[in-house]
């Protein structure tokens, strides 16, 4: 039986049935999945049994695998291999983290609207988030359609941001919640430039590209840039652009970071285990290259 697509809205988010991702995906199913990915941007695959190899292998179909930054952070041994980003609230022994665990604060950074790995020169393409246990209340993940947000953006604002470049850094998003990166961690993740408007290579649709990681805009005073970033994020995350996913155990949800913002919703993370693990594929290159933009000479990031 071939994979089938069950739209959640006409153009954003769909459920995919009749596909078992623990088995190799054949060409016919892959064509259906890829087309749905390029159309809906968020896909929900319910009831999957995914060993790590199959989980990572599926992400790899969208691009080369992104390695988790946790390996380069000042933390104890990780619970998961570096091919998975551990977005759970569990420590390496599988217990709920205690308040003194530095990583609980780091994980709370995922509660701010963002797109994955935009603080890396080549950011993420598809994120594949697999849920092994869920809290009884809270802990949904929200997704915002940055293509629809672009389409609905005031034309004057469209003109103002097209061709512009924002500076992204993991330290920026973490500082918003009072989490301090060490000097060494910051040295591993220098600030990077990203196009503020992207064109989707499969659908041709434009989207706003920003995140909580973005803190400034090249050739714009900081006060103006911060206000503009806030205004654009507020616009893009209005309810009409958002799908909220209530997790079931063994859901795999994938999204296109090129044109989707997402955030995790709060839950009592010192009480309930939420075992969320993400395999992520990288995009094909830096966004400014893809958009044909050049940084002004001598730009200080
Ligand atoms: C992620 C992420 C949010 C959540 O996996 O990239 O931001 O709800 N997750 O776990
Ligand atoms: Mn994320």
């Amino acid at each position: 039986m071939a994979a089938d697509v069950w739209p959640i809205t006409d153009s954003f988010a769909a459920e995919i049935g009749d596909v078992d991702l623990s088995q190799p995906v054949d060409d016919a199913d892959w064509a259906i999945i890829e087309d749905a990915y390029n159309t809906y941007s968020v896909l929900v695959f319910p009831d999957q049994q995914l060993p790590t190899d199959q989980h990572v292998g599926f992400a790899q179909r969208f691009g080369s695998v992104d390695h988790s930054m946790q390996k380069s952070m000042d933390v104890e041994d990780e619970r998961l291999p570096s091919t998975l980003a551990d977005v759970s609230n569990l420590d390496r022994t599988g217990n709920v983290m205690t308040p003194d665990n530095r990583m609980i604060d780091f994980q709370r950074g995922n509660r701010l609207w963002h797109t994955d790995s935009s603080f890396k020169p080549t950011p993420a393409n598809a994120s594949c988030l697999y849920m092994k246990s869920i809290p009884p209340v809270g802990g949904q993940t929200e997704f915002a359609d940055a293509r629809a947000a672009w389409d609905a953006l005031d034309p004057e604002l469209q003109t103002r941001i097209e061709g512009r470049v924002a500076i992204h850094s993991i330290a920026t998003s973490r500082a918003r919640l009072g989490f301090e990166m060490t000097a060494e961690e910051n040295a591993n993740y220098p600030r990077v430039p990203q196009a503020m408007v992207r064109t989707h290579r499969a659908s041709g649709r434009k989207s706003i590209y920003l995140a909580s990681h973005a803190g400034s805009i090249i050739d714009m005073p900081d006060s103006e840039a911060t206000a503009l970033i806030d205004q654009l994020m507020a616009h893009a995350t209005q309810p009409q652009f958002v799908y909220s996913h209530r997790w079931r155990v063994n859901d795999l949800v994938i999204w296109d970071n090129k044109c989707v913002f997402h955030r995790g919703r709060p839950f009592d993370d010192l009480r309930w285990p939420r075992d969320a693990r993400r395999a992520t594929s990288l995009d094909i290159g830096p966004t400014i290259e893809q958009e044909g933009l050049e940084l002004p000479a001598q730009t200080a990031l």
Side-chain angles (χ1 to χ4, degrees), residues 110 114 116 255 262 278:
N110 284 331
H114 64 284
D116 285 333
W255 63 89
H262 63 283
R278 164 162 57 81

Side-chain angles (χ1 to χ4, degrees), residues 101-148:
N101 191 320
R102 181 168 183 257
M103 288 312 281
I104 198 118
D105 295 318
F106 183 79
Q107 300 295 16
R108 286 177 186 156
N110 284 331
R111 296 178 182 179
L112 303 174
W113 286 108
H114 64 284
T115 177
D116 285 333
S117 297
S118 71
F119 53 87
K120 298 181 183 175
T122 293
N125 177 16
S127 282
C128 304
L129 187 60
Y130 185 42
M131 197 61 75
K132 291 305 293 171
S133 62
I134 51 172
V137 282
Q140 299 89 339
T141 304
E142 290 181 345
F143 300 94
D145 185 346
R147 308 162 306 172

Side-chain angles (χ1 to χ4, degrees), residues 14 210 247 287 289:
L210 274 176
W247 291 93
T287 57
E289 280 174 20

